[in-house]
Amino acid sequence: MISAGARERKRDGYFLRAEGITKVYADGTVAVRDVTLELRPGEIVGLLGENGAGKTTLTKILSGLLPPTRGRVVSPRGPVRFGSPREALDFGIGMVHQHFALVGTFTAVENVALSHERPLAPLALAATRAGLERLMAESGLKVPLDVPVEKLAVGEQQRVEILKVLSREVELLILDEPTSVLTPLEVDELFAFLRRLRGEGKSIVLITHKLREVGAITDRVVVLRKGALVGDVRTADVTKEELAQLMVGRAVGTRAARAVELSTEEIPAHAAHGAAAARGPGVLHVEGLTVPGDTKPVAVHDLSFDVYAGEIFGIAGVEGNGQSELVEALTGLRPALKGTATIHGRNILGLDPRQIYRLGVAHIPEDRWRLGLVLPFTLAENAILGVHRWPQFRGPFSVLRWGKIHAHVRSLIERFEIQATGPGAPARSLSGGNQQKLIVGRELAKDPAIVIASQPTRGLDVGAAQYIRDILVEMRDRGRAILLVSADLDEVLALSDRVAIMYEGRFMGVARPEELSRERIGMLMGGVRG
Amino acid sequence: MREGRLLRGVHRTHTGVHPALESVLAAILGLLVGAVIMLLWGYDPWQAYWALLKGAFGGFGYEIPTSVARGVPLILTALTFSICLRAGMFNIGAEGQMYVGAAAAVTVAYLRLPYPWHLLVGVLLAAAAGAIWSLGPALLKLTRGVSEVISTIMFNWISRFLVFYLVAYVLVDPRQAQRTVRIPFSARFPILVPGTDLSAAVYMALGFALLVYFLLWHTAVGYEVRAAGLNPTAARYGGISIRRTVLLSFALGGVAAGLAGAATTMGLPPTYAIISGLPDLMNLGFDGMAVAMVGRNHPIGILFAALFFGGLNAGGRVMQFYGENPVPLEMVRVVMGTIVLAMAIPELVRIFPALVRAGRALVRRAGPAQGEEA
């Protein structure tokens, strides 16, 4: 049974076309740059790109969650403009997000009924159940219908989410990193199902950063880099190496976009510096470390490495491959399952953050608003977070020495060029760059033996980012050990003396940055050892 | 920036108005709404408010001391709420902790000690009882994850009937079955203004408010409590034990409520006992939450708010006897309720732009139907 719409699409050859889409966020970030893209029925398109390449923004525009700044979305019936995801769904476009939008205490039937609900209409539970049972029989996607979804495995929850979208008779299905939460077997099942959907003439977009998956299932690959479309090729015509190269970028005709980044010429300069400064004794020793995740039972698998004084040890990789869990385990915020971790030979696993700071650890956290700062607090109050019990700030009877604290903050403001009205200004009033400088200043004032810096320049403008990087290099040159975790590949390569590429909780390889070609790094980041 | 020192920690809200001014505006709005209701019911609001004002602050010999005396327990129960709120929790349990504190204070009647020591022992007993009672909800929260909102409300009921029982069967005065034994002279707060209820308990309340202020803003322990209340994740990153801040703030809040129990027994003439049905205690814990809100959960702000609410209580009694068509005391509670509601207006102001945006979006969706625009 082919609907009128389907016949129409057959004739025109495409279901949806994005024409010259550009998205500029309110803060000036250009997330998507002049992207033109056609989606055809009966085709699986892989959307490939690093973190921040604009994959999610582009699909949000396609599915009506975000309006584009420039450009338009066209269907064979003319331009389309969606005011909400619901309108997009009515048109036949459904998106399955990385973070499921399910009510945990509701069953699958209730969740799906809820998604159909019009305000003030009674929930059609019986009809929904009948529809779901038919859909499960047709699609082969089986889920328990009467169990609260929070009791289901993550793979099953994803199936509920997909069924929810399919129950709306979609023609275009967009899946955002669907395999990141699935076991290999579940991935196989999902892919089998997607192939069946393709056979029915549906159009499918799969957002991913895993090269293996692209090769396994897609017909066509679209590669985004820094918001721009840098490749739109048939999967059969391209090698993994070429895709990796497109993804991490290297002379792909986007010189202009790369002008603001660190130039590649800088990489050997820093590395030479690192080689000149002799590597000191070991500071952090990690062996067999296994750490649980929030959604996965294990996020970091049996990891072993050392970080030495006077070196920057960089961890590169697509986010969500266990980097955050590793940092949290090393800083006392997440208990480890197995393994050992020592600072100067003293165990740190099982200690609370304050005890770990005492051993000479500074932690620049990945999320400065959630972890690094108490935003309503003043600069002074934030400047002592974690060191508020140190004797220079705390007198007898636990009384805080505000005079000394304010003097300390004024010296931080001066030394780290923090733009603020004074120690009494709320941290909320500072710009992102100045907030990060405050955190960096606070952490370095601990005179640490090792600095664990997680995404230290995320969201900062070019000047502030470079300032933070310079400080990290300076700390390295003064003989401190630095563990740098960053999703910004250019940054990791430019700063690190040794780089580890992390993929699904393991290191794919550890090497000096100059020993690795960008293609190779792209492959390793995509989980291909090659 | 010295002018803001005293009210440090009072955060500006969404209206952009200074929080203290916001509280004053809420109070004025409450009085206005009260006036409208009085008019609707055929009372004369001018006359009523004049009577209320005179009754509350009309003289130094009786009116002002009475208002202050009425504010004393409110200061303490408001502190209970505010300390826990600063630590990020809603402690609704001041009422019950105060009952238990009052019952503990009455037990000093069975002891024989000289004057200042007898008083001191009573105060300490009340404080300890309040603190111990507050540990129930705190431990339930820490060990079983029970919401403190639910558990403190349930503990209020437990303590209420427990103290009913104690008053009727255990602490009862064999000669006066409607009340407990009286607290002996050696354990009473001295009366400061003869002929009024104002006792030295006011010094205890003032002192405790200042102590809480010092603790929260000038010690590392208080710093930890505030950090945990504002951003528990960052607090954990900063090596702060949330367990500790929860226990500490609950215990300190319990002490405050226990002291309120001491003030309303050892410092409240003429009975110096708990009367069956707890008429002198009832609702002081809940009113303390209103005082805490108006006082912006700041110990110094609470002092002013408690004086205002104490004045409303004291003046309200006068209001109901004044003129040919006196206004009933319940009207004072209407005014109090309106003030608390008005305190929520800043939140409404924040919601308002969101409503405007939603309205515009609706118009925009309807728009293209009429005509395509570029």
Side-chain angles (χ1 to χ4, degrees):
Chain A
M1 43 163 216
I2 288 177
S3 68
R7 246 178 276 124
E8 201 177 340
R9 279 191 300 283
K10 279 243 160 67
R11 194 171 61 236
D12 287 87
Y14 70 94
F15 170 67
L16 206 66
R17 186 163 64 208
E19 292 182 351
I21 296 281
T22 296
K23 178 69 190 178
V24 185
Y25 282 112
D27 63 352
T29 319
V30 184
V32 176
R33 244 179 252 274
D34 193 23
V35 168
T36 297
L37 179 68
E38 212 172 79
L39 299 172
R40 300 166 198 131
E43 186 185 45
I44 300 179
V45 176
L47 189 53
L48 194 66
E50 284 186 282
N51 296 113
K55 295 169 297 192
T56 304
T57 303
L58 180 62
T59 48
K60 275 183 175 167
I61 290 170
L62 288 177
S63 64
L65 263 175
L66 279 177
T69 313
R70 275 195 300 280
R72 57 181 197 159
V73 180
V74 191
S75 83
R77 280 176 272 166
V80 288
R81 199 166 159 199
F82 307 121
S84 71
R86 178 156 271 167
E87 286 176 27
L89 259 178
D90 291 342
F91 188 80
I93 299 172
M95 181 154 178
V96 176
H97 294 271
Q98 227 171 333
H99 302 282
F100 307 143
L102 298 171
V103 181
T105 50
F106 280 10
T107 65
V109 173
E110 286 164 337
N111 267 293
V112 173
L114 197 65
S115 75
H116 286 220
E117 194 215 6
R118 300 291 164 180
L120 306 179
L123 277 183
L125 284 179
T128 307
R129 170 186 300 277
L132 268 181
E133 275 163 358
R134 187 164 37 81
L135 200 58
M136 288 201 303
E138 285 172 12
S139 67
L141 287 187
K142 293 272 189 296
V143 290
L145 289 181
D146 297 303
V147 179
V149 294
E150 66 188 2
K151 298 235 161 69
L152 301 180
V154 183
E156 290 176 311
Q157 292 186 12
Q158 187 184 48
R159 264 175 258 159
V160 175
E161 190 76 15
I162 293 174
L163 286 170
K164 195 169 97 181
V165 173
L166 288 182
S167 68
R168 299 296 308 272
E169 315 254 318
V170 293
E171 296 299 323
L172 168 62
L173 180 64
I174 303 172
L175 301 134
D176 191 357
E177 306 254 354
T179 58
S180 59
V181 293
L182 299 184
T183 64
L185 196 69
E186 287 172 325
V187 172
D188 291 342
E189 285 173 13
L190 176 70
F191 282 3
F193 167 68
L194 291 183
R195 287 194 193 95
R196 201 152 54 229
L197 276 185
R198 174 177 60 188
E200 290 169 17
K202 311 270 189 206
S203 178
I204 294 158
V205 174
L206 189 74
I207 302 180
T208 184
H209 60 257
K210 294 179 183 162
L211 295 168
R212 190 175 41 77
E213 291 176 0
V214 172
I217 183 152
T218 64
D219 305 304
R220 188 155 62 97
V221 199
V222 172
V223 187
L224 286 182
R225 175 163 162 75
K226 308 266 168 183
L229 192 139
V230 294
D232 186 347
V233 287
R234 282 170 46 81
T235 310
D237 299 342
V238 73
T239 63
K240 279 179 188 164
E241 288 76 7
E242 285 165 336
L243 281 179
Q245 189 178 316
L246 281 174
M247 187 165 87
V248 294
R250 202 212 58 171
V252 203
T254 52
R255 280 262 167 238
R258 290 174 47 74
V260 290
E261 302 161 24
L262 289 169
S263 70
T264 41
E265 282 72 35
E266 257 180 74
I267 298 169
H270 267 302
H273 199 147
R279 192 164 82 179
V283 177
L284 173 67
H285 175 70
V286 174
E287 203 168 308
L289 186 64
T290 301
V291 184
D294 288 330
T295 49
K296 317 171 213 194
V298 176
V300 175
H301 290 269
D302 193 23
L303 208 60
S304 301
F305 62 96
D306 287 274
V307 184
Y308 298 90
E311 78 158 352
I312 297 181
F313 183 80
I315 297 180
V318 177
E319 269 179 79
N321 276 296
Q323 298 97 317
S324 306
E325 290 83 353
L326 171 64
V327 168
E328 285 176 14
L330 293 179
T331 52
L333 293 170
R334 182 183 289 266
L337 288 173
K338 276 205 300 273
T340 56
T342 58
I343 300 265
H344 288 313
R346 296 175 67 177
N347 169 56
I348 55 168
L349 294 184
L351 299 187
D352 71 41
R354 196 157 58 209
Q355 293 166 313
I356 292 178
Y357 300 151
R358 282 248 170 73
L359 294 173
V361 175
H363 177 197
I364 300 169
E366 62 175 10
D367 188 336
R368 56 182 163 271
W369 286 2
R370 201 175 64 88
L371 273 179
L373 295 172
V374 181
L375 286 175
F377 267 13
T378 63
L379 258 66
E381 287 169 322
N382 271 299
I384 55 169
L385 186 63
V387 292
H388 54 278
R389 286 179 175 269
W390 288 21
Q392 58 265 49
F393 301 130
R394 192 180 62 134
F397 299 107
S398 179
V399 174
L400 289 173
R401 302 169 146 175
W402 281 118
K404 291 203 169 172
I405 293 167
H406 280 231
H408 172 65
V409 178
R410 276 189 286 271
S411 80
L412 286 184
I413 289 176
E414 199 171 318
R415 217 179 107 207
F416 293 92
E417 298 160 27
I418 300 167
Q419 303 295 316
T421 50
R428 196 196 291 284
S429 68
L430 267 55
S431 73
N434 285 308
Q435 288 175 343
Q436 191 71 346
K437 284 182 187 172
L438 175 65
I439 293 175
V440 168
R442 173 183 75 206
E443 295 307 304
L444 298 193
K446 290 176 181 169
D447 192 23
I450 180 167
V451 180
I452 298 178
S454 195
Q455 319 290 358
T457 62
R458 173 184 291 163
L460 302 191
D461 61 65
V462 182
Q466 194 52 46
Y467 186 87
I468 304 283
R469 292 183 190 123
D470 288 345
I471 288 175
L472 291 178
V473 171
E474 186 196 320
M475 290 297 285
R476 187 266 316 266
D477 293 345
R478 280 165 45 195
R480 306 299 195 269
I482 316 272
L483 177 63
L484 170 70
V485 176
S486 175
D488 181 343
L489 189 55
D490 294 317
E491 175 174 280
V492 179
L493 291 178
L495 297 186
S496 305
D497 300 292
R498 286 188 301 146
V499 182
I501 287 112
M502 201 162 178
Y503 177 79
E504 300 206 323
R506 295 185 173 89
F507 284 166
M508 298 294 287
V510 181
R512 302 192 141 269
E514 63 271 22
E515 293 166 5
L516 290 167
S517 66
R518 295 180 75 85
E519 296 79 357
R520 176 118 180 86
I521 293 172
M523 300 265 287
L524 293 174
M525 281 171 69
V528 181
R529 228 178 264 273
Chain B
M1 295 189 78
R2 286 204 85 71
E3 32 108 40
R5 283 300 284 280
L6 196 62
L7 283 179
R8 183 157 64 191
V10 175
H11 304 294
R12 274 175 196 277
T13 50
H14 305 285
T15 51
V17 178
H18 192 281
L21 182 60
E22 230 172 56
S23 288
V24 171
L25 289 176
I28 291 172
L29 190 67
L31 292 171
L32 280 177
V33 170
V36 169
I37 293 173
M38 285 183 211
L39 271 177
L40 286 175
W41 261 258
Y43 299 112
D44 178 356
W46 284 117
Q47 201 187 37
Y49 279 144
W50 180 241
L52 190 135
L53 186 69
K54 275 213 304 195
F57 303 107
F60 287 98
Y62 178 79
E63 288 85 355
I64 291 180
T66 303
S67 294
V68 173
R70 293 269 165 154
V72 165
L74 295 178
I75 293 173
L76 291 160
T77 51
L79 286 172
T80 304
F81 183 75
S82 294
I83 293 164
C84 289
L85 195 76
R86 290 278 176 187
M89 290 169 301
F90 278 96
N91 181 355
I92 319 287
E95 184 84 13
Q97 291 154 21
M98 175 185 63
Y99 295 162
V100 176
V106 166
T107 60
V108 288
Y110 301 106
L111 295 175
R112 284 195 182 281
L113 282 168
Y115 158 63
W117 308 115
H118 204 179
L119 174 68
L120 191 68
V121 166
V123 168
L124 290 178
L125 275 175
I132 289 167
W133 197 250
S134 76
L135 287 183
L139 292 174
L140 278 173
K141 183 181 177 70
L142 289 175
T143 56
R144 309 300 311 162
V146 178
S147 161
E148 73 278 4
V149 177
I150 309 294
S151 60
T152 49
I153 290 174
M154 285 157 76
F155 266 66
N156 281 343
W157 288 101
I158 299 171
S159 51
R160 179 177 185 157
F161 289 103
L162 175 71
V163 174
F164 276 3
Y165 172 81
L166 290 176
V167 168
Y169 295 104
V170 181
L171 301 171
V172 64
D173 187 334
R175 291 157 299 171
Q176 294 275 338
Q178 85 282 10
R179 61 163 169 79
T180 63
V181 289
R182 298 183 77 182
I183 289 160
F185 287 96
S186 55
R188 291 177 187 176
F189 283 103
I191 295 297
L192 297 181
V193 181
T196 71
D197 291 352
L198 185 64
S199 70
V202 67
Y203 295 136
M204 175 178 76
L206 277 172
F208 197 75
L210 293 176
L211 177 76
V212 169
Y213 170 74
F214 186 80
L215 202 70
L216 282 178
W217 277 277
H218 288 278
T219 69
V221 176
Y223 171 86
E224 293 190 343
V225 167
R226 289 185 300 124
L230 289 172
N231 185 344
T233 332
R236 232 163 65 74
Y237 158 85
I240 293 165
S241 156
I242 306 289
R243 279 184 76 82
R244 245 175 63 114
T245 60
V246 167
L247 274 177
L248 186 90
S249 53
F250 256 97
L252 200 62
V255 167
L259 292 181
T264 44
T265 46
M266 306 164 74
L268 190 66
T271 44
Y272 293 106
I274 306 175
I275 297 168
S276 154
L278 322 183
D280 293 327
L281 298 172
M282 205 61 88
N283 284 331
L284 287 176
F286 296 125
D287 288 351
M289 286 162 58
V291 171
M293 264 184 90
V294 175
R296 290 294 174 179
N297 294 301
H298 191 288
I300 309 301
I302 283 172
L303 293 181
F304 290 102
L307 182 64
F308 175 68
F309 274 72
L312 278 182
N313 269 323
R317 291 183 313 166
V318 176
M319 186 177 79
Q320 63 181 336
F321 301 120
Y322 195 82
E324 296 129 41
N325 187 14
V327 178
L329 184 61
E330 281 69 22
M331 195 54 74
V332 168
R333 293 206 77 86
V334 170
V335 171
M336 287 182 186
T338 315
I339 291 170
V340 172
L341 276 182
M343 293 301 293
I345 283 181
E347 193 62 19
L348 287 179
V349 173
R350 190 182 65 81
I351 292 168
F352 189 64
L355 287 176
V356 172
R357 270 199 303 278
R360 285 214 192 102
L362 265 178
V363 173
R364 222 181 303 126
R365 274 173 67 175
Q370 271 108 48
E372 269 305 320
E373 45 192 329

